[in-house]
């Protein structure tokens, strides 16, 4: 047969077998697709009822939640303003009363001064000089040291530079009562012989004269009673946390029969708003952005087979293997390609290690609803918190970066991410748009002032509902657990 | 039920009609995929992607010709897309000298071969030979169209076709003589 004729025959042969008439070809087993194929296709093309919380983009829900929080905040602010007006009225009333009391006090002082001058006039002929008696400072109990009737002392021995420290179990500091340390510095004190009026005579009586020039500094130690409104106050805060995450795969087909798949880390930052509801309980919510990162290496081993090789342009051989990777939140099929020169002859079935470098980043919008309890009502408060975290997935990226071939006989060329889009739809990881998590943790708050406080709350967050499902070999539930070290700066109204 | 009615019901989202359409065309379209894929697994991937594409693009079918031809065209495009996506570029297509023996096969011997055997032969061709051969000989594309589809030159397409045919003739002879 001539080449051209051969070509025509060849073309005819294939056209007859596979041409347009192929449309009517019957199933003979070899050309029948797998029986489950229709189910796979149907699963993709069938309209899936969209769950309520997944019916829209996450940012719409975030906007709605933010709007609700704003409304709540506005109501609280309005309520706060009413309270302020009431308090202002009370202050005005008190100011008027204070002015009246002040005027009365002035009158009494003037009266006392005149009385003192009258008595002093009687003892001008006495000996010595009356020491200067400054006004006491922060020393209420010394008020008695200033006699209402002053006599000229017979002698006076000043002592300077005395210093003392004592503990005051209940001293007012910044309007709060509690235990304080008092550091006292006395400038002068002494003993004097004071002339005391005894009928018509003047007797000299030895007496301690403590010249109240000491200055005290009170250092409050916790706890001191907070003056803030524990029943109706509310607070706004900035919060942030480093996060350590463990993600688990539970279900059939979990890789290496191990439910724990990945540790990773992340951070969160956001704002919060809380309201004190009495009995040391507060209820708080907020909005936080969280980012989770994974940089990991997934190790795989395959058996070398010459059947998987094809010859390449350079006289060597090229191997293609499909590998199923379960990494982070993803489960993918990838194809790895590597080559060997013709001179290298690996054994059939030889182990080849494949180390896949994987990066995954997931961003969430978190809306916690938390009850916070404080054991003490002081400046430093310990307590606990518990509640739920509503988690909305904002974005998710997954990258298979590189693959190292752990067998020097082979030269890695390029690992191609081969994710079989059509097939993956039925088995791919479905990270849920919404997932519910439980929160529990301890907390410590320190009141910097009446309005500002800081808090540190080591907290565990665990998924109540799976964050996603995946797996070509059946449903694998992805569950997440994290340790968050929340630090907050709060402003109380 | 007539195919046209099935198509109309498919467009309305009728699941039963979709299944009917699938059942009616699954064998010929899977055969197409078997010819383009390296193995059955790859053909299954192409088939699934192709059928999903068919249902998604069904509204674009204007009824100008048989629905089967349109579906086949979509399936071929989907297979090419798959190949372009996951395989290397076609500028360095594989070539194996062992296929290049000149052959002399009795013409009557060809008639003994069925579609299965021919499909097996095509699958064993390197990807470049296989794709160009399928497009030129079976789908009836010109070399210009193939070069546009695959992003290669017309001369490369011609060379690939020549080598594909030579390889097939060699393989056919081996098959028949054995």
């Amino acid at each position: 047969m001539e080449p051209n004729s051969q070509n025509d025959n060849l073309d005819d042969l294939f056209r007859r077998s596979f041409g347009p008439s192929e449309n009517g070809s019957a199933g003979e087993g070899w050309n029948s697709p797998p029986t489950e194929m229709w189910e796979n296709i149907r699963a993709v093309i069938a309209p899936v009822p969209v769950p309520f919380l997944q019916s829209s983009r996450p940012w719409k829900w975030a906007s709605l939640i933010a709007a609700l929080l704003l409304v709540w905040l506005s109501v609280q602010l309005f309520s706060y303003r009413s309270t302020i007006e009431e308090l202002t009225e009370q202050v005005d009333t008190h100011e008027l009363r204070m002015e009246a009391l002040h005027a009365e006090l002035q009158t009494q002082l003037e009266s006392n001064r005149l009385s003192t001058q009258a008595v002093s006039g009687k003892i001008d002929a006495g000996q010595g000089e009356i020491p200067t008696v400054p006004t006491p400072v922060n020393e209420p109990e010394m008020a008695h040291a200033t006699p209402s009737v002053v006599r000229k002392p017979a002698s006076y021995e000043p002592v300077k530079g005395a210093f003392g420290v004592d503990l005051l179990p209940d001293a007012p500091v910044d309007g709060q009562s509690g235990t304080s340390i008092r550091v006292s510095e006395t400038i002068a004190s002494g003993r004097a012989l004071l002339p005391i009026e005894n009928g018509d005579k003047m007797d000299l009586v030895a007496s301690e004269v403590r010249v109240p020039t000491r200055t005290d500094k009170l250092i409050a130690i916790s706890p001191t009673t907070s003056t803030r409104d524990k029943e109706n106050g509310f607070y706004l805060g900035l919060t942030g946390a480093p996060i350590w995450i463990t993600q688990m795969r539970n279900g059939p087909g979990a890789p290496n029969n191990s439910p724990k798949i990945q540790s990773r880390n992340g951070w969160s930052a956001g704002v919060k708003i809380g309201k004190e509801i009495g009995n040391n309980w507060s209820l708080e919510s907020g909005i936080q952005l969280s980012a989770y990162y994974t940089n990991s290496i997934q190790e795989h081993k395959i058996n070398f087979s010459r059947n998987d090789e094809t010859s390449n342009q350079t006289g060597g051989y090229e191997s293609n293997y499909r590998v199923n990777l379960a990494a982070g939140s993803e489960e993918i099929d990838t194809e790895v390609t590597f080559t060997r020169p013709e001179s290298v002859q690996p054994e059939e079935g030889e182990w080849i290690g494949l180390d896949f470098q994987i990066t995954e980043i997931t961003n969430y919008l978190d809306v916690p609803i938390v009850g916070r309890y404080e054991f003490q009502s002081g400046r430093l408060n310990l307590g606990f918190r518990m509640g739920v975290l509503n988690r909305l997935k904002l974005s998710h990226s997954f990258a298979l970066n590189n693959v190292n071939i752990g067998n020097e006989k082979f030269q890695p060329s390029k690992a191609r991410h081969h994710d079989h889009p059509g097939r993956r739809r039925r088995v791919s990881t479905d990270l849920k748009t919404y997932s519910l998590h439980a929160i529990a943790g301890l907390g410590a708050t320190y009141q910097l002032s009446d309005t500002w406080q800081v808090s540190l709350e080591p907290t565990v967050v665990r998924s109540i509902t799976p964050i996603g499902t995946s797996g070509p070999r059946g449903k694998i539930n992805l569950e997440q657990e994290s340790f968050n070290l929340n630090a907050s700066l709060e402003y109380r109204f | 039920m007539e195919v046209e009615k099935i198509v109309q019901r498919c467009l309305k989202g009728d699941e039963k009609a979709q299944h009917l359409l699938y059942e009616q065309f699954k064998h010929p379209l899977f055969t197409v995929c078997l010819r383009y894929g390296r193995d059955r697994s790859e053909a299954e991937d192409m088939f699934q992607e192709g059928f999903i594409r068919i249902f998604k693009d069904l509204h674009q079918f204007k009824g100008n010709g048989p629905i089967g031809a349109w579906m086949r065209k979509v399936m071929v495009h989907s297979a090419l897309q798959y190949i372009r996506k996951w395989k290397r570029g076609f500028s360095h297509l594989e070539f194996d000298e062992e296929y290049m023996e000149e052959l002399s096969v009795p013409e009557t011997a060809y008639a003994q071969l069925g579609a299965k055997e021919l499909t097996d032969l095509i699958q064993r061709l390197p990807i470049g030979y296989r794709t160009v051969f399928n497009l030129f000989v079976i789908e009836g594309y010109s070399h210009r169209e193939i070069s546009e589809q695959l992003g290669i030159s017309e001369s490369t397409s011609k060379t690939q076709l020549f080598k594909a045919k030579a390889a097939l003739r060699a393989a056919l002879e081996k098959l028949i003589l054995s």
Side-chain angles (χ1 to χ4, degrees):
Chain A
M1 190 163 39
E2 295 300 317
N4 280 342
S5 168
Q6 279 189 344
N7 273 344
D8 292 343
N9 290 338
L10 194 74
D11 290 0
D12 288 344
L13 174 66
F14 281 93
R15 281 182 188 136
R16 272 201 310 273
S17 298
F18 300 116
S21 60
E22 183 183 60
N23 289 336
S25 68
E28 300 166 18
W30 68 274
N31 66 347
S32 297
T35 49
E36 74 273 13
M37 183 61 81
W38 168 245
E39 281 305 311
N40 299 339
I41 294 168
R42 190 189 64 81
V44 177
I45 61 173
V48 179
V50 180
F52 177 71
L53 280 167
Q54 296 180 14
S55 60
S56 188
R57 290 183 179 278
W59 64 265
K60 288 184 179 174
W61 289 103
S63 306
L64 180 63
I65 291 165
L68 287 172
L69 280 172
L70 278 175
V71 169
W72 186 51
L73 184 62
S74 304
V75 170
Q76 293 298 326
L77 278 173
F78 181 76
S79 162
Y80 173 70
R81 288 181 68 86
S82 302
T83 309
I84 288 289
E85 283 169 8
E86 284 174 19
L87 287 172
T88 307
E89 276 181 27
Q90 288 179 18
V91 167
D92 289 345
T93 309
H94 283 124
E95 276 184 355
L96 288 173
R97 288 183 59 193
M98 286 291 289
E99 282 173 9
L101 285 170
H102 184 70
E104 190 180 338
L105 189 63
Q106 286 293 331
T107 307
Q108 286 185 6
L109 281 173
E110 182 63 19
S111 169
N112 286 343
R113 191 179 63 79
L114 292 172
S115 172
T116 303
Q117 282 177 348
V119 175
S120 296
K122 294 180 184 178
I123 61 169
D124 275 348
Q127 297 177 350
E129 293 180 355
I130 298 173
T132 304
V133 182
T135 306
V137 179
N138 285 341
E139 187 54 90
E141 73 268 27
M142 284 197 172
H144 73 276
T146 306
S148 59
V149 179
V150 181
R151 305 284 185 257
K152 192 178 286 185
S155 65
Y156 180 65
E157 300 170 17
V159 178
K160 293 185 179 178
F163 181 79
V165 177
D166 56 353
L167 194 68
L168 299 180
D170 190 18
V173 181
D174 298 336
Q176 300 175 34
S177 62
T179 303
S180 302
I181 294 173
R182 179 175 61 185
V183 179
S184 307
E185 186 184 24
T186 304
I187 301 302
S189 67
R191 293 173 60 82
L193 290 172
L194 292 177
I196 301 296
E197 198 172 0
N198 183 10
D200 296 336
K201 295 188 295 183
M202 299 294 283
D203 294 336
L204 289 178
V205 177
S207 177
E208 177 80 18
V209 176
R210 297 174 62 201
V211 183
T213 52
R214 53 189 280 181
T215 53
D216 290 346
K217 186 174 182 184
L218 291 180
I219 302 169
I221 59 173
S222 181
T224 59
T225 304
S226 169
T227 56
R228 68 176 190 241
D229 185 352
K230 298 293 286 185
E231 298 294 325
N232 299 307
F234 70 98
Y235 54 92
L236 294 174
L238 298 173
T239 184
I243 306 175
W244 294 267
I245 307 123
T246 300
Q247 191 159 288
M248 292 143 303
R249 292 170 172 272
N250 289 319
N256 304 322
N257 297 319
S258 170
K260 184 181 285 189
I261 182 69
Q262 210 83 61
S263 284
R264 38 188 180 168
N265 54 56
W267 56 265
S268 76
V271 294
K272 66 178 180 181
I273 182 168
K275 179 165 175 39
E276 284 160 341
I277 55 176
N279 296 324
N280 290 350
W281 278 97
S282 302
L283 190 63
E284 73 179 36
S285 183
I287 296 179
Q288 295 167 10
L289 283 172
S290 300
Y292 285 14
Y293 301 99
T294 307
N295 283 301
S296 61
I297 292 179
Q298 285 263 306
E299 295 177 356
H300 267 260
K301 279 186 174 178
I302 56 173
N303 288 106
F304 169 72
S305 170
R306 283 192 171 74
N307 289 334
D308 295 322
E309 283 192 320
T310 54
S311 56
N312 63 14
Q313 293 279 314
T314 57
Y317 292 92
E318 184 179 283
S319 294
N320 288 285
Y321 285 94
R322 285 184 187 175
V323 178
N324 178 261
L325 288 176
S329 302
E330 275 284 353
E331 177 131 358
I332 58 168
D333 289 329
T334 189
E335 186 171 276
V336 60
T337 305
F338 50 87
T339 58
R340 69 173 172 91
E342 196 172 11
S343 56
V344 174
Q345 292 296 325
E347 293 175 13
E348 188 73 13
E350 187 171 328
W351 283 109
I352 303 171
L354 301 172
D355 295 342
F356 293 90
Q357 296 174 10
I358 292 164
T359 302
E360 184 181 20
I361 302 172
T362 315
N363 292 308
Y364 297 106
L365 183 77
D366 293 337
V367 180
I369 300 171
V370 174
R372 191 161 91 170
Y373 183 84
E374 292 176 349
F375 284 108
Q376 296 188 38
S377 303
R379 180 162 285 192
L380 176 65
N381 297 317
L382 300 178
F384 62 85
R385 66 200 301 253
M386 58 179 66
V388 292
L389 179 81
N390 298 281
R391 172 156 285 173
L392 298 167
K393 182 191 69 181
L394 295 179
S395 66
H396 176 230
S397 65
F398 182 91
L400 177 61
N401 297 324
N402 205 355
V403 59
N404 293 320
I405 308 296
N407 187 326
E408 56 192 20
K409 292 176 184 170
F410 299 92
Q411 303 157 341
S413 51
K414 187 182 179 186
R416 294 200 295 275
H417 190 169
H418 189 156
D419 65 355
H420 300 278
R423 176 168 293 190
R424 273 189 69 223
R425 286 190 186 94
R426 67 187 163 102
V427 299
S428 69
T429 296
D430 177 21
L431 266 189
K432 291 180 179 174
T433 306
Y434 170 81
S435 58
L436 186 64
H437 299 244
I439 299 176
L442 302 174
T445 59
Y446 186 79
Q447 193 179 341
L448 300 170
S449 68
D450 271 355
T451 50
W452 289 98
Q453 74 174 32
V454 290
S455 71
L456 192 67
E457 293 168 326
T459 307
V460 173
V461 179
R462 199 189 193 295
S463 55
I464 299 173
T465 56
I467 64 163
T469 53
S470 74
R473 298 171 293 277
K475 285 259 179 179
I476 296 175
N477 288 329
L478 299 178
E479 292 171 4
Q480 211 170 55
E481 194 173 275
S482 65
F483 175 76
N484 301 22
L485 191 59
N486 292 309
S488 306
L489 177 64
E490 296 164 8
Y491 183 81
R492 292 187 173 270
F493 294 90
Chain B
M1 191 185 298
E2 290 177 18
V3 177
E4 287 73 21
K5 285 184 181 173
I6 295 175
V7 171
Q8 289 305 317
R9 282 175 53 189
C10 286
L11 288 170
K12 291 173 184 171
D14 186 330
E15 198 175 301
K16 283 183 182 172
Q18 288 171 337
H19 194 198
L20 275 173
L21 191 68
Y22 171 82
E23 286 295 328
Q24 193 157 340
F25 289 95
K26 67 180 181 183
H27 296 300
L29 294 181
F30 191 56
T31 310
V32 171
C33 295
L34 285 169
R35 281 193 289 105
Y36 281 88
R38 181 178 63 182
D39 51 28
R40 192 173 177 85
S41 167
E42 213 166 69
E44 286 175 14
D45 288 344
M46 290 175 176
F47 181 73
Q48 183 171 318
E49 285 181 39
F51 239 112
I52 289 165
R53 178 56 52 201
I54 285 169
F55 282 118
K56 286 191 172 170
D57 293 349
L58 197 56
H59 62 280
Q60 294 176 10
F61 173 60
K62 304 298 179 193
N64 299 333
I67 182 72
W70 180 83
M71 289 170 74
R72 177 183 169 125
K73 196 174 173 185
V74 174
M75 191 61 80
V76 168
H77 273 280
S78 182
L80 291 178
Q81 215 167 24
Y82 182 95
I83 291 166
R84 274 198 299 267
K85 192 171 183 180
W86 302 119
K87 299 296 175 187
R88 293 168 302 174
F90 285 83
S91 53
H92 303 291
L93 295 172
E94 301 92 333
F95 177 69
D96 199 331
E97 292 292 342
E98 73 174 81
Y99 288 113
M100 288 303 294
E101 302 164 20
E102 278 298 324
L103 305 171
S104 177
V105 181
E107 199 172 336
T108 52
Y110 287 157
Q112 300 168 11
L113 296 170
K116 180 181 185 311
E117 288 75 20
L118 295 177
T119 303
D120 287 344
L121 290 178
I122 293 175
Q123 279 186 344
R124 281 158 53 189
L125 290 173
I127 181 173
Y129 297 4
R130 185 168 68 236
T131 310
V132 172
F133 180 82
N134 273 320
L135 290 174
F136 187 87
V137 175
I138 300 169
E139 315 300 345
Y141 282 45
S142 67
H143 284 298
R144 176 185 289 263
E145 288 170 326
I146 293 170
S147 68
E148 288 168 358
Q149 283 285 332
L150 302 182
I152 58 176
S153 66
E154 283 187 51
S155 62
T156 303
S157 175
K158 286 174 184 170
T159 311
Q160 294 295 309
L161 179 65
F162 171 76
K163 292 173 179 174
K165 287 183 176 179
L168 280 173
R169 277 198 301 275
L172 276 168
E173 188 193 28
K174 279 184 184 174
L175 185 68
I176 291 166
L177 294 179
S178 67

